């Protein structure tokens, strides 16, 4: 029974084998008080002894004659500002008289088996109602005449709690929601470090860990996308927690637009964590009878370090966020044409590349940007999704059929949300772009953002895309998005609803995705936003994989993929082998290292393979065969980060199969170190009592040896050459053998 409700004391205990989350209704105030979140504790008839009440000097109090009723000193579930709590609130509503004070009081609750969906929004799900239980708490503000439902879902089999809030206007006048966060947790102490993923174009998801300080610390986006700059994720870890052990609380936001993830430490060491739509630039008009649903926050508790947290996210997102036929299928080895040809190609060149790709064991050929309108550079044609017949005389239909005839699948690039001024779509509908009247319109890569808050825009794009997809043999689609939103304003919405445009835009993106998925359920979607500019759980609900970065350099990718793996499963991380010198970093890395990094994701190639030597082609043939043999293990195994590329010149990670009979470890060394010391990589996740054979080692070894004594790694193991040089790497295949 994962949700205990004590009707008499009005207490709620959500629990499973691993975690407990407890709150109650405050006496007299009828608001919700947070009591505990962390490792499972046994259930008991009452947890009221966990409430904290004392008289604080110079405090404001809610109850007359009572000096211990200051909300500033009571841990809350979904706090509001201005009724004795002065910290940042979880929501703010402006009513008709201009007041922003609220007082939502407990009315009741409802328990549901399973997990209801969130209308129009991505969310994790259940396949069977026994997988989770949902508790809905009903609150009401009589002055605002509004209902608030706080929804909590606890999964039975993993340390996951999801939360979101639902506001309904039950009154006769409209109100404005100025802020509506998805979750808020008041932790009783601040003995934490905050872990976030930050970056920029071509260096996404770098890991940042810093001690919590008094005051507010946050990451956010106000770009109209979750962003390259900060991932919609935050974790609090105990300072002593490592990758392998210790307590970590993860917060991940299932949303692709503007977000805020904030930790506020008050002067009594209380840490308030919040996650939701960024209130900056947000204001939602809620008319009588209307409802606003916040996106979902997924909270993970781990007492097994950062790896424990990540593995829970991987499992949940891989199995209960990603949908459709591709969820449980291994992903094809793909070839992407972008770094091979950029805009310069014709059908002959594409077919030559495709034949070569087929020879090398590649299964899916993806034609990237440049196939439509007059698209010979980035100045024109976005919005005109019909084939350029000068480049492709038989259109996408003809090309896709020829590629399928070679025995490969065919995939195509789109950037549906964008338009160039030099396009038929813009000439027809110049008012369909997001732009503020009487102000200059900023561009990004010479392109402008279509107003996806408008249904007719979404519908037009859908029809245009359907025409090409429906008439051709398309098995994969890459959905790109290459700039952020500026001068935000929609001509379709009145002046008092302009604060809704960012959110409505993302809802429009989700709508188009949903329609395409419905129409073309067999297509494998990959999302992309100049690489990882929108790598978030919201996107994974629609597209099972995301192009992690435009940076394909193996050394840079180690960091990017390492950071990305904090939240996202390997089956979602788009990773390719590209040419050297690398097009972004100018770096030269060995071919095997490029593959050894790219294997840990959804593997592919992105270079002009016709320029390769015979020897290189032979190596690639082996690589694709190797990956096909290992991809089920890689994409569905349990992933462990072993050594961080952010901490030393060495990095290591591994995957282990569910039955612990098979594993694959990747070890990487940035710079050659002559006369280097021995190093031992302590593996993880193996069966301690089982005997294993490790590639390259004569002796068989037990799991406990590999995990505690470690895998001995010498320079010579990293390369067959006498001197391995920089960017050396080595994979170790590990197999259980009879004792
Ligand atoms: C973005 C993507 C690349 C490629 C180009 C095409 O930069 O991230 O992978 O598709 O656009 O213009």
């Amino acid at each position: 029974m994962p949700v205990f409700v004590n009707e008499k004391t009005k207490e709620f205990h959500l629990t499973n084998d691993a975690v407990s989350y407890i709150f109650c209704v405050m006496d007299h105030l009828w608001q919700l008080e947070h009591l505990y979140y962390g490792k499972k504790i046994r259930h008991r008839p009452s947890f009221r002894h966990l409430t904290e009440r004392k008289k604080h000097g110079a405090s404001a109090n809610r109850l007359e004659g009572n000096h211990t009723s200051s909300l500033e000193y009571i841990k809350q579930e979904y706090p509001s500002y201005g009724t004795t709590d002065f910290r940042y609130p979880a929501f703010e509503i402006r009513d008709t008289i201009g007041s922003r004070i609220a007082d939502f009081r407990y009315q009741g609750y409802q328990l549901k088996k399973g997990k209801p969906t969130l209308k129009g929004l991505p969310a994790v799900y259940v396949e069977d109602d026994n997988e989770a239980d949902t508790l809905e708490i009903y609150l009401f503000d009589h002055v605002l005449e509004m209902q608030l439902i706080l929804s909590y879902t606890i999964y039975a089999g993993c340390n996951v709690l999801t939360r979101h809030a639902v506001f309904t206007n039950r009154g006769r006048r409209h109100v404005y929601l100025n802020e509506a966060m998805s979750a808020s947790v008041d932790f009783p102490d601040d003995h934490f470090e905050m872990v976030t993923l930050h970056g920029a174009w071509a260096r996404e998801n770098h890991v940042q860990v810093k001690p919590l300080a008094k005051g507010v610390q946050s990451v956010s986006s106000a770009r109209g996308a979750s962003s390259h700059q900060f991932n919609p994720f935050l974790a609090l870890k105990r300072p002593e927690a490592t990758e392998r052990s210790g307590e970590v609380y993860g917060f991940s936001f299932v949303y692709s637009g503007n977000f805020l993830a904030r930790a506020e430490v008050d002067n009594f060491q209380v840490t308030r964590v919040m996650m939701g739509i960024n209130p900056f630039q947000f204001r939602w008009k809620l008319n009588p009878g209307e409802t606003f649903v916040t996106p979902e926050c997924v909270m993970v508790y781990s007492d097994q370090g950062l790896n424990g947290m990540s593995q829970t996210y991987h499992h949940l997102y891989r199995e209960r966020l990603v949908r459709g036929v591709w969820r449980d299928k291994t992903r094809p080895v793909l070839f992407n044409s972008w770094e091979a040809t950029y805009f310069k190609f014709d059908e002959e060149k594409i077919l030559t590349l495709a034949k070569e790709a087929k020879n090398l064991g590649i299964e899916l050929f993806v034609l990237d940007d440049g196939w439509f309108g007059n698209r010979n550079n980035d100045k024109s044609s976005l919005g005109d999704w019909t084939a350029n017949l000068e480049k492709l005389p038989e259109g996408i239909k003809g090309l896709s059929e020829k590629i399928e005839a070679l025995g490969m699948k065919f995939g195509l690039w789109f950037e549906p949300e964008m338009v160039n001024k030099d396009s038929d779509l813009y000439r027809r509908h110049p008012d369909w772009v997001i732009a503020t009247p009487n102000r200059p319109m900023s561009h990004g890569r010479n392109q402008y953002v279509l107003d996806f808050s408008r249904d007719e825009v979404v519908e037009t794009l859908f029809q245009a895309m359907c025409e090409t997809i429906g008439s051709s043999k398309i098995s994969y689609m890459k959905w790109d998005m290459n700039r952020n939103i500026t001068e935000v304003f929609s001509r379709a919405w009145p002046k008092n609803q302009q604060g809704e445009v960012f959110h409505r835009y993302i809802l429009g993106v989700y709508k188009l995705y949903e329609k395409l998925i419905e129409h073309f359920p067999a297509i494998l979607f990959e999302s992309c936003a100049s690489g990882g500019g929108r790598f978030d759980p919201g996107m994974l609900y629609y597209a099972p994989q995301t192009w992690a970065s435009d940076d394909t350099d193996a050394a840079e990718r180690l960091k990017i993929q390492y950071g990305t793996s904090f939240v996202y499963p390997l089956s979602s991380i788009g990773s390719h082998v590209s040419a050297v010198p690398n097009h972004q970093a100018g770096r030269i890395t060995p071919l095997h290292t490029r593959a050894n990094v790219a294997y840990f994701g959804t593997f592919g190639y992105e270079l002009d393979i016709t320029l390769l030597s015979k020897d290189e082609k032979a190596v690639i043939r082996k690589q694709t065969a190797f990956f096909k043999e290992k991809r089920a293990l890689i994409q569905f195994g349990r992933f462990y980060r072993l050594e961080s590329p952010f901490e030393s010149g060495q990095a290591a990670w591994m995957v282990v199969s569910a039955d612990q009979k098979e594993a694959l470890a990747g070890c990487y060394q940035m710079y050659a170190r002559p006369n280097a010391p021995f190093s031992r990589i302590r593996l993880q996740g193996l069966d301690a009592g089982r005997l294993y054979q490790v590639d390259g080692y004569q002796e068989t070894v037990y799991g406990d040896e590999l995990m505690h004594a470690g895998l001995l790694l010498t320079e010579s193991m990293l390369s067959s050459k006498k001197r391995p040089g920089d960017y050396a790497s080595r994979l170790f295949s590990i197999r259980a053998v009879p004792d």
Side-chain angles (χ1 to χ4, degrees):
M1 172 64 177
V3 184
F4 292 97
V5 179
N6 189 334
E7 302 264 359
K8 243 174 68 205
T9 58
K10 303 218 164 19
E11 291 175 25
F12 304 89
H13 181 189
L14 296 102
T15 187
N16 56 25
D17 285 345
V19 67
S20 279
Y21 189 98
I22 307 169
F23 60 93
C24 67
V25 179
M26 293 176 208
D27 290 338
H28 312 298
L29 287 172
W30 296 94
Q31 298 197 11
L32 297 184
E33 176 168 359
H34 180 76
L35 294 178
Y36 175 75
Y37 176 34
K39 196 172 171 75
K40 178 196 169 82
I41 53 179
R42 79 193 57 226
H43 185 66
R44 49 185 294 162
S46 174
F47 289 100
R48 282 283 157 162
H49 52 283
L50 290 174
T51 56
E52 298 164 348
R53 293 288 186 279
K54 89 174 192 194
K55 190 172 163 181
H56 287 268
S59 64
N61 287 279
R62 276 308 302 281
L63 299 169
E64 201 131 328
N66 178 323
H67 299 278
T68 63
S69 59
S70 175
L71 290 171
E72 192 174 1
Y73 304 104
I74 299 175
K75 289 164 194 72
Q76 294 167 71
E77 277 301 300
Y78 199 69
S80 68
Y81 164 82
T83 58
T84 72
D85 190 349
F86 302 96
R87 289 165 293 176
Y88 280 99
F91 67 98
E92 186 183 270
I93 297 163
R94 210 197 76 179
D95 67 13
T96 37
I97 63 163
S99 159
R100 282 165 295 168
I101 296 303
D103 184 5
F104 280 95
R105 293 176 171 228
Y106 176 78
Q107 284 201 312
Y109 72 93
Q110 213 182 333
L111 266 179
K112 294 181 175 163
K113 284 297 286 165
K115 183 174 190 290
T117 54
L118 277 71
K119 200 168 171 272
L121 284 167
V124 294
Y125 58 89
V126 293
E127 283 210 322
D128 172 328
D129 278 351
N130 291 319
E131 288 177 11
D133 283 78
T134 298
L135 170 67
E136 289 176 348
I137 302 287
Y138 292 77
L139 302 124
F140 202 82
D141 183 311
H142 287 280
V143 175
L144 291 168
E145 295 184 295
M146 281 185 70
Q147 183 191 53
L148 166 62
I149 302 174
L150 297 182
S151 177
Y152 300 77
T153 296
I154 182 157
Y155 275 78
C158 56
N159 314 351
V160 173
L161 264 163
T162 68
R163 287 185 60 178
H164 72 274
V166 181
F167 290 89
T168 303
N169 184 350
R170 301 242 179 258
R172 281 144 297 153
R173 298 201 190 118
H174 70 260
V175 296
Y176 289 100
L177 260 180
N178 289 341
E179 173 171 1
M181 301 301 272
S182 298
S184 173
V185 180
D186 284 353
F187 289 90
D189 69 272
D190 63 352
H191 187 57
F192 288 113
E193 290 172 340
M194 179 161 134
V195 185
T196 52
L197 301 171
H198 68 95
W201 173 79
R203 57 177 165 83
E204 295 85 344
N205 288 338
H206 282 217
V207 179
Q208 173 168 270
V209 181
K210 57 176 187 185
L212 277 187
K214 292 260 183 311
V216 169
Q217 40 250 283
S218 64
V219 292
S220 63
S221 165
R223 296 167 171 269
S226 49
S227 87
H228 292 94
Q229 282 67 19
F230 294 104
N231 202 263
F233 159 78
L234 173 160
L236 293 187
K237 70 181 258 303
R238 296 292 180 194
E240 60 277 11
T242 64
E243 285 283 11
R244 287 158 195 259
S245 66
E247 277 198 305
V248 184
Y249 295 86
F251 297 81
S252 162
F253 196 33
V254 190
Y255 189 60
S256 312
N258 293 349
F259 77 93
L260 172 65
R262 178 174 60 206
E264 179 178 8
V265 180
D266 75 7
N267 301 78
F268 292 83
Q269 266 89 28
V270 171
T271 304
R272 171 171 289 175
V273 175
M274 260 185 216
M275 185 167 259
I277 292 177
N278 196 345
F280 175 62
Q281 296 292 317
F282 173 83
R283 193 172 79 150
W284 193 273
K285 184 174 176 233
L286 206 58
N287 290 314
E290 283 180 356
T291 289
F292 183 84
V293 182
T294 74
E296 178 167 88
C297 173
V298 177
M299 295 163 34
V300 166
Y301 167 76
S302 161
D303 62 354
Q304 285 167 34
L306 289 161
N307 270 322
M309 173 198 73
S310 301
Q311 286 160 3
T312 303
Y313 278 124
H314 294 175
H315 179 75
L316 182 75
Y317 286 173
R318 201 173 52 213
E319 317 228 326
R320 293 294 180 266
L321 177 62
V322 168
R323 298 173 296 165
V325 291
W326 283 100
R327 186 187 72 178
D328 304 324
K329 281 211 253 183
T330 53
R331 308 295 160 69
V333 180
L334 70 79
F335 174 86
N336 180 294
S337 66
W338 182 239
E339 287 197 19
T341 65
Y342 295 104
F343 294 109
K344 212 164 170 261
F345 59 83
D346 55 18
E347 193 187 76
E348 198 189 329
K349 176 71 186 171
I350 295 300
L351 288 174
T352 315
L353 283 166
K355 277 180 205 143
E356 196 57 70
K358 172 71 188 165
N359 264 336
L360 298 177
I362 292 168
E363 299 158 306
L364 166 69
F365 187 96
V366 179
L367 180 58
D368 208 279
D369 197 353
W371 60 267
F372 50 92
N374 294 315
R375 184 82 168 165
N376 294 316
N377 53 47
D378 62 18
K379 293 194 178 65
S380 90
S381 302
L382 288 173
D384 297 344
W385 299 108
T386 46
N388 178 330
L389 297 180
E390 271 167 40
K391 287 180 178 175
L392 308 171
E394 292 179 41
I396 291 298
K397 180 176 185 297
L399 178 65
S400 64
E401 283 166 359
K402 287 177 193 164
I403 293 205
E404 285 225 339
L406 293 174
M408 273 201 291
K409 296 290 180 195
F410 178 73
L412 197 58
W413 180 96
F414 284 92
E415 194 175 359
E417 297 153 76
M418 299 293 157
V419 70
N420 287 113
K421 278 191 180 168
D422 183 6
S423 69
D424 292 341
L425 183 67
Y426 185 81
R427 283 184 279 272
R428 267 201 315 275
H429 298 289
D431 59 329
W432 275 11
V433 292
I434 289 189
T436 299
N438 309 319
R439 304 241 171 240
M441 209 162 75
S442 306
H443 75 97
R445 208 192 187 199
N446 307 303
Q447 64 196 50
Y448 301 87
V449 185
L450 287 168
D451 185 354
F452 265 49
S453 75
R454 300 170 71 158
D455 273 345
E456 69 271 36
V457 176
V458 171
E459 190 53 41
T460 303
L461 266 296
F462 174 64
Q463 295 302 341
M465 293 168 83
C466 276
E467 240 162 75
T468 300
I469 302 172
S471 60
S472 314
K473 294 196 176 306
I474 293 186
S475 307
Y476 162 107
M477 192 189 123
K478 177 171 167 188
W479 176 322
D480 209 342
M481 192 285 288
N482 282 310
R483 63 157 292 188
N484 291 142
I485 296 175
T486 54
E487 292 91 29
V488 62
F489 187 93
S490 167
R491 288 177 176 88
W493 296 95
K495 65 179 179 200
N496 57 356
Q497 287 187 267
Q498 291 299 323
E500 301 174 16
V501 175
F502 270 125
H503 184 54
R504 287 191 184 276
Y505 175 89
I506 282 295
L507 295 181
V509 170
Y510 292 155
K511 205 179 284 171
L512 181 55
Y513 255 119
E514 195 67 47
K515 281 164 86 89
L516 288 169
I517 289 169
E518 244 173 63
H519 263 71
F520 306 105
I523 288 186
L524 171 61
F525 284 82
E526 178 151 349
S527 78
C528 173
S530 297
R534 212 161 56 179
F535 201 141
D536 57 65
M539 280 293 133
L540 289 188
Y541 186 68
Y542 304 95
Q545 48 193 69
T546 301
W547 179 228
S549 179
D550 275 354
D551 196 335
T552 53
D553 170 67
E556 291 300 306
R557 269 297 185 129
L558 259 185
K559 291 185 185 155
I560 293 166
Q561 292 174 212
Y562 191 92
T564 303
S565 80
F566 269 55
V567 188
Y568 306 99
L570 296 194
S571 56
S572 71
I573 302 177
S575 48
H576 304 165
V577 172
S578 64
V580 288
N582 175 266
H583 291 191
Q584 295 76 36
R587 186 176 282 132
I588 296 179
T589 52
L591 181 54
H592 71 272
T593 292
R594 280 174 270 156
N596 287 349
V597 175
Y599 287 143
F600 288 82
T602 64
F603 188 58
Y605 291 82
E606 186 165 340
L607 72 168
D608 190 342
I609 42 182
T610 62
L611 303 178
L612 296 175
S613 69
K614 239 171 113 190
D615 288 353
E616 286 171 315
K617 286 181 190 168
V619 171
I620 292 185
R621 237 171 266 126
K622 281 195 189 143
Q623 290 176 344
T624 55
F626 173 81
F627 183 74
K628 286 175 195 169
E629 194 192 309
K630 299 287 180 193
R631 67 180 151 193
L633 166 67
I634 293 172
Q635 292 174 353
F636 302 118
R638 190 176 276 256
F639 180 71
Y640 292 85
R641 292 177 299 271
L642 303 175
E643 287 197 20
S644 168
F646 296 101
E647 283 164 17
S648 71
Q650 209 163 282
W653 53 34
M654 70 185 289
V655 271
V656 185
S657 64
D659 62 7
Q660 294 172 301
K661 285 188 179 161
E662 219 200 329
L664 182 72
C667 302
Y668 311 85
Q669 184 175 283
M670 292 299 95
Y671 304 111
R673 295 185 304 165
N675 197 17
F678 288 107
S679 67
R680 281 167 197 261
I681 311 277
R682 290 196 300 136
L683 304 187
Q684 286 202 73
L686 301 172
D687 180 342
R690 216 183 252 279
L691 202 55
Y692 290 96
Q693 179 71 59
V694 182
D695 260 8
Y697 289 78
Q698 303 231 298
E699 289 278 328
T700 50
V701 265
Y702 283 99
D704 55 2
E705 289 175 60
L706 288 169
M707 292 193 289
H708 306 308
L711 182 75
L712 181 65
L713 193 65
T714 60
E715 286 267 291
S716 63
M717 280 170 174
L718 287 171
S719 171
S720 51
K721 289 194 221 136
K722 195 161 168 229
R723 294 187 191 86
D726 292 343
Y727 314 113
S729 69
R730 168 89 191 239
L731 294 191
F732 294 97
S733 288
I734 300 157
R735 263 173 309 105
V737 289
D739 215 334

